[in-house]
Amino acid sequence: MENTPIAPKKRIFSAIKPTGDATLGSYLGAIKNWVSLRDEYDCLYCIADLHALTVRNDPATLRRRVLEQLAIYVAAGLDPEKCVLYVQSHVPAHAELGWILDCYTMFGELSRMTQFKDKSRKNADNVNAGLFTYPTLMAADILLYQADLVPVGEDQTQHVEICRDIANRFNGAYGDTFTMPEAFVPKFGARVMSLSNPTSKMSKSEEDANGCVLVMDSPEEIMRKFKRAVTDSDTVASPVYYDKENKPGVANLLSIYCAATGCTMESAVAEFEGKGYGAFKPRVGEAVVEMLRPVREKANELLKDKDALVSIYTDGAAKAAYLAEKTMRKVRRKVGLTERPRY
Ligand code: TYM
């Protein structure tokens, strides 16, 4: 029988920065998709601690969050035997390629990044250079591993776009060096909004902690936050319907419900026909509690054995560094850096 060649799996890269505790937003926008794609692709998932340095962190808290984030990755279903799970700063090639790509990225294009404009407005006293060149480090993360697909929430798609522009520029100058990555955004959960201010994104840096649900929140905390979620004062018999423009709070809760249960928008709206917010909000809360319960419980279990987590990220760093070095050898040669001596 003739041997049919097996096409190599395509590659996924994605990351979360540990600037705050993992949120329902990053779970639905990113992690849930990572899990659903894990068998079809060759996957690398990173804890982007270098990216976290663009804001001031308490060092011990940052270290705690790195381990906790790793525990969440594994607890969510990312098997360290099948996916490469590692910490960004353990693979120095990220910073090295980040610098090289800085030199192939224009001031003008970085200035146009929505997140840079947003974050500089919010942190006016700390608009550091890292915040500005953040997208080039992110491009380095992706391009180092020749990733085909980058599953992210909607807020990161502009950064994947600039990564493609940088890759195009580099490939145009030096011939094919980097794979052209594509962003992959989920149907529901791509932009989870704050529960207390549904016109702004749910985020770890939110002022009102009630607006942000954390993956590690207890069921009681999750229920409390959903019961307090802002809706509107619609007085019709069936106020639960999807109208993003005029009913952003309800639209957000419906999208969360669909993402958490896997149901369609039509069936979600049908389920709440004739019901008021008093029934709707706790039901969404329960769906989120049930989705996150196994993740929180497993993560807490994993956190009891720090050595095992350290061994997962050590193994991950070795695998990632091997792949990164393959790309770096090409890049260094192409841009004209002298071959590294052995020392
Ligand atoms: P970060 O840490 O802000 O968010 C991690 C992931 O979660 C998604 N996300 C959301 N999705 C839906 N609704 C929300 N409210 C929400 N909040 C966060 C984000 O879109 C993201 O996918 N720069 C990245 C981290 C990063 C990265 C990379 C991502 C570093 N290097 C390389 C992809 C590839 C960031 O700050 O995401």
Side-chain angles (χ1 to χ4, degrees), residues 49-71:
D49 58 346
L50 293 175
H51 278 98
L53 300 183
T54 52
V55 297
R56 297 291 167 254
N57 301 279
D58 167 53
T61 308
L62 182 57
R63 278 189 278 271
R64 171 187 62 79
R65 283 187 180 136
V66 165
L67 269 195
E68 195 169 291
Q69 204 171 296
L70 177 63

Side-chain angles (χ1 to χ4, degrees), residues 225-241:
K225 290 177 184 176
F226 274 96
K227 282 182 187 161
R228 294 175 58 132
V230 167
T231 46
D232 50 52
S233 49
D234 202 344
T235 52
V236 295
S238 292
V240 181
Y241 57 93

